[in-house]
Amino acid sequence: MRYPAPQINTPSRVVVAAFLAVIAAGTALLSLPVAVAEGREASWVSALFTATSAVCVTGLAVHDTAAHWTVFGEVVILTLIQVGGFGIMSLASILALIVSGKLGLRARLNAQAETKTLGPGDVRQVIAGVAKVTLTVEAVTAVVLTARFVIGYGEPLGRAAYYGVFHAVSAFTNAGFALWPDSMMRFVGDVWICLPVVLAVVAGGLGFPVYAVLRKDWRRPSRWSLHAKMTLGMTAVLLFGGALIIMILEWNNPETFGPLAPGLRILAGFFHSAMTRSGGLNSVDTSQMHENSWLVSDVLMFIGAGSASTGGGIKVTTFALLGYVILAELRGEPDVTAGRRRISEQLQRQALTIALVSVAAVVVGTLVMMMLTPFALDRVLFEVVSAFGTVGLSTGITADVGAAGHLVLTTLMFIGRLGPVTLGAALALHVQTRRFRYPEERPLVG
């Protein structure tokens, strides 16, 4: 008896359908009159844009969050942010389990070693672990921010707690939403605000598989999985390297770092570098940064954060794997190795596919936005990469790209949030065996 072949991409479809349902619900709630401040109105496009930006933890905004939305609207946005951030970490980690269950025994054991799970059925354990990490980091960050708002700025405890919770959730989920029209610019010199936000953003960008490894063997780095080593290593390199380059480029810019004391310039540099990991908040006016700083930010935003994290981009492990592929080819080595481990050809192709498809999405999105808006290439490219990387930083053109432009950015946010995750899972699951191989031929390259 013949049975129909299973639909191996069903898990990816479930993830996409779930996020579409949450976005639809958020759009409906934000379209209600009770969600919009008196004297303002929200079109379905702006409601859809805001809901997508919140669920996809991006942070791009058509309207000033505090001025345009009521407390009800802000709570809806906060809820969408939390659902989106928690959901992407949980679903991405669960997809790793599903992938491990669909592969062969050796590949399954390797995948389980990377995620430190007991088996494909440990869904409850994964969700509980993600919840613990999420609530712990958000609670600690909220307490520190609340105390600072009360002590340093004289805010009433209730309002301070509301600000603390909102921005703690926004930071850990890498959402990029703030309750001030200048984002975090008024706190550019406040270490007790900027540093907790940076740490929360970095923590959210590591991903649950890394926390699972650290929980068991944090004292013995030699026993960490390759995934954890690559994620932590690349995060450190991009964070400190990006901060150094941004500081060099913006050190004397009178519109950004120039007026700050040297110590605060360093703080602002680290803040901006961390936000390009997918954080989306800004402590200086991004629209006044030099064009070369925008280009550096584009690269950092495109790479993004860790796999199964709240951050976006193609992910640091994808970028690192491509680097190892290039290094092996330059050395003429037959195998691609990293940390005394051989990288499978299948994984190399997956990384290459994700990177090139992402490049295509950015190029097409930029071309369409150039056709729809009057803005220059550098600003449009920054906006497109920020949307695709679910970052939320902007050069100030988000509100002025028109309804068609908002729909394009909405599509990019959705693709950028779920594209790398679902594409990676679909490629891993869609493994086929062939009983024959074609003759080999070597066309010229280069």
Side-chain angles (χ1 to χ4, degrees):
M1 182 176 182
R2 300 183 62 183
Y3 295 93
Q7 295 185 1
I8 56 180
N9 59 346
T10 297
S12 301
R13 293 181 178 179
V14 172
V15 172
V16 172
F19 271 77
L20 284 174
V22 177
I23 289 173
T27 302
L29 290 174
L30 291 177
S31 299
L32 297 175
V34 69
V36 184
E38 185 177 356
R40 297 175 178 266
E41 55 184 41
S43 65
W44 71 270
V45 174
S46 64
L48 173 64
F49 185 94
T50 304
T52 305
S53 184
V55 175
C56 296
V57 288
T58 304
L60 289 175
V62 179
H63 308 290
D64 177 7
T65 303
H68 186 82
W69 307 103
T70 62
V71 174
F72 174 82
E74 293 173 1
V75 171
V76 170
I77 292 173
L78 179 62
T79 303
L80 294 176
I81 290 172
Q82 187 70 287
V83 171
F86 178 79
I88 198 65
M89 287 188 71
S90 301
L91 291 173
S93 300
I94 291 171
L95 281 176
L97 293 177
I98 295 175
V99 168
S100 69
K102 288 289 186 179
L103 301 180
L105 178 59
R106 177 173 298 180
R108 188 185 313 174
L109 292 176
N110 291 336
Q112 291 174 15
E114 293 296 321
T115 58
K116 291 297 180 181
T117 56
L118 299 176
D122 296 328
V123 173
R124 182 180 301 177
Q125 180 180 345
V126 169
I127 294 178
V130 173
K132 290 178 182 178
V133 171
T134 300
L135 295 178
T136 300
V137 177
E138 289 179 352
V140 172
T141 306
V143 169
V144 175
L145 294 179
T146 299
R148 183 56 180 167
F149 290 138
V150 172
I151 298 173
Y153 299 91
E155 293 285 355
L157 180 59
R159 182 181 295 274
Y162 178 64
Y163 284 161
V165 170
F166 188 98
H167 294 94
V169 173
S170 181
F172 178 75
T173 59
N174 284 225
F177 280 90
L179 295 178
W180 298 283
D182 59 357
S183 189
M184 307 294 287
M185 288 173 58
R186 62 187 64 194
F187 305 114
V188 64
D190 195 330
V191 177
W192 291 101
I193 297 292
C194 291
L195 190 57
V197 169
V198 166
L199 293 177
V201 167
V202 174
L206 294 179
F208 177 71
V210 174
Y211 286 111
V213 171
L214 296 178
R215 181 175 62 87
K216 293 187 177 182
D217 293 312
W218 69 274
R219 292 183 177 180
R220 292 174 289 184
S222 61
R223 300 186 61 179
W224 293 354
S225 67
L226 179 59
H227 171 79
K229 291 178 181 178
M230 293 175 65
T231 300
L232 292 170
M234 285 304 303
T235 297
V237 169
L238 294 173
L239 176 62
F240 289 95
L244 178 61
I245 296 174
I246 292 297
M247 281 189 284
I248 292 174
L249 296 176
E250 295 293 323
W251 191 265
N252 294 316
N253 186 343
E255 302 297 330
T256 55
F257 289 16
L260 304 175
L264 297 183
R265 297 183 195 184
I266 296 176
L267 177 64
F270 274 102
F271 192 93
H272 182 79
S273 181
M275 294 308 118
T276 60
R277 317 300 318 127
S278 197
L281 300 167
N282 59 283
S283 62
V284 297
D285 190 351
T286 310
S287 66
Q288 298 300 316
M289 298 180 79
H290 294 310
E291 294 178 357
N292 44 14
S293 299
W294 289 346
L295 181 58
V296 172
S297 300
D298 290 339
V299 174
L300 295 174
M301 291 189 296
F302 182 77
I303 297 173
S307 299
S309 74
T310 58
I314 64 172
K315 304 298 185 292
V316 294
T317 46
T318 303
F319 181 73
L321 282 176
L322 294 177
Y324 283 116
V325 171
I326 294 173
L327 185 62
E329 189 64 27
L330 292 177
R331 291 176 174 176
E333 297 178 350
D335 295 321
V336 177
T337 59
R340 297 184 179 180
R341 293 291 187 271
R342 181 170 54 87
I343 306 300
S344 69
E345 294 183 0
Q346 177 191 346
L347 192 59
Q348 297 174 41
R349 293 196 299 269
Q350 290 173 16
L352 182 62
T353 301
I354 291 174
L356 291 182
V357 169
S358 299
V359 169
V362 170
V363 170
V364 172
T366 302
L367 177 62
V368 173
M369 290 293 290
M370 289 287 292
M371 297 170 60
L372 296 175
T373 67
F375 300 106
L377 173 62
D378 50 6
R379 291 183 181 271
V380 171
L381 178 62
F382 190 99
E383 199 81 6
V384 168
V385 175
S386 181
F388 179 81
T390 67
V391 179
L393 293 174
S394 175
T395 59
I397 67 173
T398 307
D400 302 319
V401 298
H406 291 151
L407 292 177
V408 173
L409 293 177
T410 299
T411 304
L412 286 169
M413 287 188 288
F414 187 80
I415 294 175
R417 174 68 278 179
L418 296 179
V421 175
T422 56
L423 179 59
L427 291 174
L429 291 172
H430 194 65
V431 179
Q432 295 182 346
T433 57
R434 178 176 289 177
R435 298 182 181 274
F436 65 92
R437 300 182 72 181
Y438 291 107
E440 181 179 310
E441 188 168 345
R442 298 178 63 88
L444 296 178
V445 176

